[in-house]
Amino acid sequence: MSHWRTDPTFAMCRELVDGAELSSFAGGPFDVRAVVAGIRPEAKDGFLLGEIPWERFPQGDQVREAVHLLHTGDSSGRTGTGVVVGMCANDMRAAAVLAVPFLIRIAADTRHPRRADVLAEVPCPARARHFGVASRDQLLLHRGDIRHDALSDDYDDYGIEVTGYPAGWSVAAARSAISADTALLQPLLDDPDPVIRVRTAYALAVADDTDGKIRAAFGVRLATEQDPLVRAALILATAEATRAHPNAQTTTWMRERWRDRTEMPEARLAAAIGWLCLTDEPAPTDLRTLTDTLTTDARAHTMDTLPWLSAAAGSNETGLQRCVRESLHPEQPGPGTYDDPWTPGN
């Protein structure tokens, strides 16, 4: 981490620590939102990596190298995968955001051997402070003021990254980058690989859907989707998009989905979770019965492959089980985390 102090953004972050107003840097060379917005379409499509100011942001050189390896291939066996997700796990998103337009194009290339892995990295910079979040009031929620149509002047609910960089700026820039390329992502909802379809839904769920077109695309795919996990993913993605852009009809539709006995159990559970996140209404008895009945250990572990639920999981509790417990049975204590050797009682 010490070498990040040589990055140009350190001067900005130091000034912020010393009391400078964040708004004074909005739209400038170290505002990753402005940098992403300024990337030419020709640079994205042509992988003109030299046009991108990677060097302005912490570990930008590593991100550029990862994108280069993914795009060109490398005989040494290095692939470039894992760099973006690793940086996000370490709460360093600013430079990772710059990779998003290029990762989308690689994932859209049906000939690329690592496209599923690449697609999994696309939404990582667009999500923060979501691990372990399973409560009804916080799950599927896009936090803070990170509007796509304006440069926010203040810190938001995302706080700062470990480098001192405003995390909300990174998240907003990543969502804008995904929003700009939904035309490349939406066709992947029809990809033959169900893993691609799930990961595409997860990526599109963070895009700006003010006009409802992305939510409509989820519905079109759902009409023919036969894979139970993909159906669940499309429903969760619909709920997330709707939570960002409320739509009463979709909330009603979500209730109909979990009440539909002909629907697949995984999809009914996803709809139950989605409905709980979209309304403040008390959970009805039939919803409680449904979730308690369908949430078997086997199904819960299978559904943990869905990125929403894997992020919500605890050390000794699947994401589905945790969502059900925190949303419907908040009085119940969670399981002990005895995998930690420093936990009392070990």
Side-chain angles (χ1 to χ4, degrees):
M1 281 292 296
S2 60
H3 68 278
W4 103 266
R5 294 173 179 270
T6 63
D7 290 312
T9 44
F10 179 70
M12 181 192 84
C13 296
R14 184 58 181 266
E15 289 186 45
L16 292 173
V17 170
D18 291 340
E21 294 291 333
L22 180 60
S23 59
S24 65
F25 297 97
F30 302 123
D31 185 342
V32 72
R33 301 170 300 176
V35 173
V36 166
I39 300 177
R40 298 187 307 122
E42 295 82 3
K44 299 177 188 179
D45 295 336
F47 282 80
L48 305 181
L49 304 184
E51 290 193 12
I52 314 303
W54 310 92
E55 69 283 353
R56 293 182 193 170
F57 302 95
Q59 297 191 13
D61 55 339
Q62 294 184 25
V63 180
R64 174 179 175 162
E65 176 66 9
V67 173
H68 172 73
L69 289 173
L70 284 166
H71 177 53
T72 63
D74 184 87
S75 58
S76 70
R78 296 184 299 157
T79 66
T81 56
V83 171
V84 167
V85 68
M87 289 182 64
C88 293
N90 290 329
D91 198 21
M92 297 176 64
R93 293 173 177 78
V97 170
L98 301 178
V100 170
F102 304 104
L103 296 178
I104 290 173
R105 283 156 177 77
I106 293 170
D109 182 359
T110 57
R111 300 164 299 176
H112 199 283
R114 304 299 296 273
R115 58 194 296 258
D117 295 332
V118 171
L119 184 55
E121 299 199 60
V122 167
C124 289
R127 296 177 182 275
R129 298 194 175 186
H130 64 298
F131 284 106
V133 174
S135 63
R136 180 178 182 178
D137 61 330
Q138 294 291 312
L139 185 68
L140 308 181
L141 179 67
H142 294 174
R143 294 166 179 77
D145 180 8
I146 53 169
R147 295 168 294 168
H148 298 278
D149 59 346
L151 295 175
S152 176
D153 288 339
D154 303 312
Y155 286 105
D156 50 41
D157 291 345
Y158 289 99
I160 60 174
E161 300 178 4
V162 294
T163 60
Y165 193 80
W169 283 13
S170 297
V171 173
R175 290 181 180 167
S176 293
I178 293 171
S179 300
D181 282 324
T182 55
L184 293 175
L185 286 169
Q186 284 191 33
L188 302 185
L189 290 173
D190 297 320
D191 194 272
D193 186 347
V195 173
I196 293 287
R197 301 200 296 276
V198 168
R199 292 178 178 177
T200 299
Y202 191 59
L204 285 171
V206 297
D208 182 13
D209 192 34
T210 305
D211 57 10
K213 290 183 178 180
I214 294 174
R215 186 174 61 241
F218 294 150
V220 170
R221 178 62 220 179
L222 192 65
T224 58
E225 183 59 62
Q226 297 299 313
D227 186 288
L229 289 178
V230 181
R231 289 189 69 82
L234 291 166
I235 290 172
L236 287 172
T238 299
E240 182 174 357
T242 305
R243 184 154 203 185
H245 304 283
N247 180 275
Q249 291 181 330
T250 303
T251 303
T252 300
W253 174 86
M254 201 71 62
R255 180 197 287 266
E256 294 170 351
R257 291 276 64 73
W258 61 258
R259 281 184 166 167
D260 185 356
R261 295 179 179 273
T262 67
E263 180 61 90
M264 297 177 181
E266 294 81 1
R268 295 184 73 188
L269 286 167
I273 292 171
W275 182 83
L276 287 168
C277 291
L278 293 178
T279 178
D280 293 329
E281 294 182 32
T285 301
D286 55 343
L287 184 144
R288 294 176 178 273
T289 301
L290 167 79
T291 55
D292 290 343
T293 301
L294 296 184
T295 305
T296 63
D297 285 343
R299 183 169 291 120
H301 282 91
T302 298
M303 292 185 69
D304 247 10
T305 59
L306 298 174
W308 294 270
L309 298 182
S310 63
S315 58
N316 286 315
E317 190 174 30
T318 68
L320 176 61
Q321 290 167 331
R322 190 172 190 179
C323 288
V324 170
R325 177 177 59 80
E326 293 199 10
S327 297
L328 298 175
H329 308 289
E331 74 287 352
Q332 294 181 1
T337 55
Y338 297 122
D339 53 342
D340 182 353
W342 301 107
T343 299
N346 273 8

